[in-house]
Amino acid sequence: CPPSPTGSQNTQVLVKPPWTPVVLWDRVTLTCQGSGTPGATTWFKDGQLWGPEGPDSLVVTDVGSYKCHRSGTGFSPIVHVSNDWLMLQVPARALLEGDTVTLRCRG
């Protein structure tokens, strides 16, 4: 494989259940993934440090903007968690033109 371009994003947040937008009442678990040091994960909520370094997974109990940092691979993109009363969701994965997509209307 060719080397990653400079500045590429290696740290990601896996969302379970895998739907976007992410809503609090889905009982969401966020898992920080990357090629950095396992167990050396730091979580941030709304730009502020959220708990001590350690767990790779976080059960979301409040609305906000979450991201993680893995030693060696940096910060993940931000995951926004809302508490809207009605939500149209799509699968939280890359979609390509021509894909069959299941939409989920939740309230």
Side-chain angles (χ1 to χ4, degrees):
C1 292
S4 299
T6 303
S8 68
Q9 192 67 255
N10 292 321
T11 303
Q12 298 292 324
V13 175
L14 176 68
V15 179
K16 286 187 180 176
W19 294 92
T20 189
V22 182
V23 288
L24 185 62
W25 36 266
D26 259 347
R27 298 181 138 195
V28 176
T29 299
L30 304 178
T31 301
C32 192
Q33 296 182 324
S35 56
T37 308
T41 298
T42 305
W43 289 96
F44 294 81
K45 178 183 177 283
D46 299 326
Q48 302 294 317
L49 184 63
W50 189 253
E53 181 178 86
D56 292 334
S57 292
L58 173 71
V59 175
V60 177
T61 58
D62 196 11
V63 299
S65 299
Y66 294 83
K67 67 180 177 180
C68 67
H69 181 272
R70 293 284 297 266
S71 178
T73 53
F75 287 96
S76 70
I78 293 173
V79 173
H80 300 282
V81 179
S82 70
N83 200 25
D84 293 341
W85 66 275
L86 183 63
M87 188 68 61
L88 180 63
Q89 295 177 303
V90 298
R93 62 176 175 83
L95 300 172
L96 302 173
E97 185 176 346
D99 286 353
T100 299
V101 178
T102 300
L103 301 178
R104 186 165 91 155
C105 186
R106 310 268 323 280

